[in-house]
């Protein structure tokens, strides 16, 4: 199988991206992937630390470019969204220019842009949202999605400030929050509507950027977009 090299720019305290993305993409039926990360110092999900983390972006971009990735995911959704409407386009454009100036042909995607792309791919107009963030930051995520013309029917903030703890939130707590929303593989079966996460949106965007089939089993309908139905 063809090998594709994936670069990840992640907050230093993040323990989810480097776990979830490989777990998803290694199930791809016709491609293989290697994953290479660089980290931006950030522990508490606060406006000040997010700004400090974003200031490290140029260093991290050139570090990961040295690994010659095919595509890079700038994997901190809220750090982009706090920049205001359309920020993922500006950030992706700035990183693309930096990569080109350094002689890298890597494609660039962001978690924020991937989420918007994924929601449009499933023709979502009215959505419900569960975030791990404190309410003020969660409200900025809501505003960002509204600026992209999605209707936020309802949302919940789990209010976890310690970014290291975000990756330890039990799945049942997320589902419990989702069940309290109006409206609202296991989550889709329970709710009867498409369910996606930052990880599945990131995987979708990476596959589309590489023009690979989006056909990963057991990861929700978003990642089955190109799955050929079994013959009757």
């Amino acid at each position: 199988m063809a090998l594709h090299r994936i670069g990840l720019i992640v907050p230093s305290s993040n323990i989810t991206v480097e776990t979830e993305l490989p777990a998803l993409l290694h199930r791809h039926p016709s491609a293989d992937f290697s994953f290479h990360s660089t980290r931006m110092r950030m522990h508490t999900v606060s406006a000040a630390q997010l700004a400090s983390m974003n200031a490290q972006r140029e260093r991290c971009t050139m570090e990961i470019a040295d690994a010659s990735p095919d595509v890079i995911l700038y994997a901190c959704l809220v750090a982009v969204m706090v920049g205001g409407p359309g920020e993922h386009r500006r950030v992706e454009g700035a990183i693309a220019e930096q990569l080109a100036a350094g002689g890298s042909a890597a494609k660039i995607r962001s978690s924020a842009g991937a989420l918007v792309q994924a929601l449009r791919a499933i023709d979502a107009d009215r959505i419900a949202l569960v975030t791990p963030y404190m309410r003020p930051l969660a409200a900025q995520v809501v505003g960002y999605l509204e600026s992209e013309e999605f209707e936020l029917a309802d949302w919940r903030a789990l209010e976890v400030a310690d970014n290291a703890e975000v990756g330890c939130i039990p799945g049942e707590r997320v589902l419990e929050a989702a069940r309290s929303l109006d409206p609202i593989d296991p989550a889709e079966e329970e709710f009867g509507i498409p369910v996606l996460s930052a990880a599945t949106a990131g995987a979708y965007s990476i596959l589309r950027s590489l023009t690979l089939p989006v056909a990963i089993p057991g990861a929700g309908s978003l990642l089955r977009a190109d799955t050929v139905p079994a013959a009757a």
Side-chain angles (χ1 to χ4, degrees):
M1 291 192 293
L3 177 67
H4 301 275
R5 197 172 295 170
I6 310 301
L8 301 171
I9 301 177
V10 298
S12 59
S13 52
N14 186 288
I15 59 173
T16 57
V17 174
E18 294 152 304
T19 302
E20 294 178 356
L21 268 179
L24 288 167
L25 292 176
H26 282 324
R27 282 148 49 189
H28 196 277
S30 60
D32 202 0
F33 304 87
S34 63
F35 297 86
H36 313 274
S37 301
T38 184
R39 314 184 80 75
M40 305 171 287
R41 285 298 308 276
M42 191 273 280
H43 189 76
T44 301
V45 190
S46 66
Q49 287 208 19
L50 289 170
S52 176
M53 187 194 75
N54 281 334
Q56 303 167 58
R57 187 185 71 220
E58 290 188 7
R59 170 186 62 80
C60 288
T61 296
M62 295 319 298
E63 286 180 356
I64 200 63
D66 288 344
S68 300
D70 298 305
V71 59
I72 297 169
L73 180 67
Y74 189 73
C76 189
L77 182 146
V78 71
V80 172
M81 289 190 174
V82 295
E87 181 70 358
H88 70 274
R89 298 180 186 88
R90 190 193 71 77
V91 167
E92 291 175 8
I95 295 175
E97 288 181 7
Q98 186 184 355
L99 289 168
S104 171
K107 299 177 175 65
I108 177 67
R109 298 292 184 270
S110 67
S111 291
L115 180 59
V116 171
Q117 179 186 12
L119 288 168
R120 290 192 173 131
I122 63 172
D123 295 322
D125 294 315
R126 190 167 184 261
I127 64 177
L129 180 70
V130 178
T131 83
Y133 312 121
M134 303 300 289
R135 286 189 64 84
L137 284 176
Q140 288 184 273
V141 173
V142 169
Y144 195 94
L145 292 174
E146 288 176 336
S147 76
E148 294 289 330
E149 301 185 348
F150 298 106
E151 178 187 351
L152 270 292
D154 205 353
W155 58 280
R156 295 289 181 271
L158 300 182
E159 300 201 89
V160 179
D162 186 336
N163 199 49
E165 294 299 316
V166 168
C168 302
I169 298 171
E172 183 55 34
R173 184 180 175 195
V174 178
L175 284 173
E176 182 181 354
R179 291 185 191 109
S180 73
L181 292 166
D182 180 22
I184 244 292
D185 292 281
E188 289 194 335
E189 291 175 4
E190 178 173 342
F191 300 131
I193 55 176
V195 176
L196 52 85
S197 69
T200 58
Y204 177 89
S205 190
I206 287 170
L207 292 172
R208 285 288 185 238
S209 75
L210 296 171
T211 64
L212 291 170
V214 177
I216 295 177
S221 56
L222 174 69
L223 291 180
R224 294 194 301 270
D226 299 330
T227 300
V228 178

